[in-house]
Amino acid sequence: MSPWRRQGWLPLLALLLGAAGPRSGFETMTPELQAMQRDDAGNPGMLSVLEGEALFAREGCAACHAAAALRGVAARYPAHDAARGGPIDLAGRIAECREQRAGRPPLPRESQPMLALQSFVAHQSRGLPITPDPRLAEARAEGERLFRERRGQLNLSCAQCHETLAGGRLAGANIPEGHPNGYPLYRLEWQALGSLQRRLRGCFTGVRAEPLAPGSPAALALEAYLFGRAAGLPIETPAVRP
Amino acid sequence: MARTLIRVPATATRGEVIEIRTLIQHPMETGYRPDAAGRLLVRDIITRFTCHFDNRLVFEAMLHSAIAANPYLTFTLRAEASGVLAFAWDGDHDFRHVETRALTVT
C-alpha cells in the first residue's frame, strides 16, 4: 500500500468534513473505550462523581451552591481571580471556598476527596463547550511560551508532540492533541481518577524535566493556555483514557 | 463504604434474558507492588462476587490479583418471576459490600 493511500486520505477527509478545530482525545480512542466513557454505569469515573456528590452535601457546599447552578462553571475555568490578580483553577477555587468560606481544613490537591469534589463540579458541565476567560490573555501568553519551550534531558517541548506530531503514534500509543476537557478523568494506566496536574507531571517526567508545582503560577499559566487552545471542545468529565 | 454502580432493568417480560451490569469501587491492590520505600503493599482484593435471586445463587465469580481496580462484572439472567437481586462482594481484610435491587417481571 502506498504511503498516500495509507495515511494521505485521512487528514484530507477530516479537512473535507470540517474537523479542523481542536480534536478531543476521545475521538482517537478505541470504540470499546469510547463506549466505556459513554456508559454511566460502566465508566469508573462515575464512582468519584457519586462520591463527590455525597461530599458536596456533607461538607456544607450545598448550603450555598445548588448543583444545578454549577452547570457551566467548569467550562469557564481557569478563571481570573481579582483577589489574586491572576488565574485560579477549579481545584484552587474549591480549596479556597472550603477553607475561607466553609472554614474546613485544607484538602491536598491530589487527595481522593478533592478529586471527587472536582469531578462532581466538572461533571455538571458535561457537554458544554469550553469558553476561556478573556481576562486571562496574559497568563495564556505565558502558558504558550511554556508549551513551546524545550525542556528536560530529552529537550522536547509540549508542542513538538501534541501539535506537530499529534495524531501520530509513539510506539503503540496514540499521540493526542493534549486537550484538558475531560479532567479529572479515569485513566486505565493509573487505575484511578486523576487530575490534569498529574497528567502534566507524567509528561514532564517523561521528558526528564522537573514537573511544575501544582497550583504554581507557571502551572496555572500552562493550564490557562491548554484550556484556551481547547476552546469549543465539550467538557467530558469524567472522561476515560488509556 | 465502597460505592457501586448497578444497572438492572426495572421491568422485564417473563422469559426475557436481561443483562445486569455491576461496577464497584475497589483498589484491587495486587500484593506484588512495592511502595515508594520498596516494601510490598499488602494484598487487598475482592475475592468473590455473588448474585442471589430470591436467595438462589444465579451468578458467582472468583477474583484474583490480576484483575483491574474497580471490577466491572456483567452477566445475563433469564427473568422468570419478580423478586429481589442481592449482590455481594467479599474480599481481603473482611471486606464485604451488599446491595439489593428489585426486579419486576410482567
Side-chain angles (χ1 to χ4, degrees):
Chain A
M1 205 184 271
S2 77
W4 167 254
R5 279 189 61 198
R6 204 168 61 227
Q7 296 170 337
W9 61 273
L10 264 178
L12 193 69
L13 190 72
L15 210 65
L16 287 173
L17 291 172
R23 275 182 94 207
S24 169
F26 177 82
E27 293 173 43
T28 48
M29 293 200 303
T30 61
E32 291 81 4
L33 268 184
Q34 291 183 346
M36 190 175 176
Q37 177 175 326
R38 279 201 201 97
D39 175 14
D40 281 351
N43 181 340
M46 288 305 289
L47 295 166
S48 293
V49 172
L50 286 179
E51 193 182 330
E53 187 176 14
L55 275 172
F56 196 78
R58 201 171 65 226
E59 298 248 300
C61 310
C64 299
H65 305 278
L70 295 174
R71 185 159 171 76
V73 168
R76 294 194 294 267
Y77 272 75
H80 180 77
D81 184 52
R84 295 175 184 220
I88 186 167
D89 61 354
L90 197 56
R93 176 69 80 207
I94 293 172
E96 185 196 82
C97 202
R98 263 179 55 89
E99 289 159 39
Q100 294 177 10
R101 301 199 186 88
R104 298 266 168 179
L107 279 177
R109 263 179 178 263
E110 307 272 329
S111 65
Q112 186 59 37
M114 185 47 145
L115 288 170
L117 275 173
Q118 215 184 320
S119 59
F120 172 69
V121 172
H123 179 65
Q124 306 308 311
S125 305
R126 183 155 75 165
L128 294 179
I130 291 174
T131 42
D133 191 328
R135 293 166 296 179
L136 290 184
E138 205 178 304
R140 274 197 293 273
E142 169 64 8
E144 179 165 13
R145 192 187 64 74
L146 291 169
F147 188 82
R148 302 193 182 283
E149 182 181 69
R150 284 170 173 257
R151 62 185 65 250
Q153 288 179 323
L154 300 193
N155 200 29
L156 283 167
S157 74
C158 312
Q160 280 175 296
C161 282
H162 296 288
E163 205 169 84
T164 316
L165 295 174
R169 292 181 90 82
L170 178 65
N174 282 316
I175 305 177
E177 287 182 15
H179 294 303
N181 58 323
Y183 287 89
L185 56 73
Y186 193 89
R187 207 159 167 240
L188 301 187
E189 187 187 311
W190 294 336
Q191 298 270 296
L193 189 96
S195 65
L196 174 61
Q197 306 290 348
R198 181 173 177 186
R199 185 66 197 81
L200 289 175
R201 203 160 62 229
C203 250
F204 273 65
T205 50
V207 299
R208 300 184 200 161
E210 190 179 334
L212 302 175
S216 65
L220 287 171
L222 184 56
E223 194 175 330
Y225 174 66
L226 290 179
F227 274 92
R229 73 195 268 276
L233 279 182
I235 297 282
E236 293 176 17
T237 310
V240 174
R241 292 291 184 271
Chain B
M1 198 190 70
R3 291 190 185 277
T4 55
L5 287 167
I6 297 173
R7 182 171 286 177
V8 176
T11 58
T13 52
R14 191 176 304 275
E16 185 184 346
V17 174
I18 56 168
E19 188 187 40
I20 293 165
R21 298 191 235 171
T22 68
L23 179 69
I24 185 165
Q25 190 170 38
H26 197 283
M28 295 297 280
E29 187 56 60
T30 61
Y32 298 114
R33 292 197 315 157
D35 65 8
R39 286 180 299 261
L40 272 192
L41 291 163
V42 180
R43 192 185 87 159
D44 179 18
I45 63 168
I46 292 172
T47 49
R48 183 165 176 256
F49 168 76
T50 57
C51 175
H52 285 82
F53 182 68
D54 281 346
N55 297 322
R56 187 166 61 91
L57 184 67
V58 290
F59 182 81
E60 181 179 19
M62 309 303 275
L63 287 82
H64 300 276
S65 274
I67 291 170
N70 308 314
Y72 173 72
L73 289 168
T74 171
F75 52 96
T76 53
L77 179 69
R78 190 186 305 278
E80 299 289 6
S82 297
V84 174
L85 284 159
F87 305 90
W89 293 262
D90 292 283
D92 293 336
H93 316 300
D94 296 325
F95 178 85
R96 181 165 176 80
H97 188 85
V98 179
E99 291 274 337
T100 54
R101 293 286 185 278
L103 175 68
T104 307
V105 175
T106 51

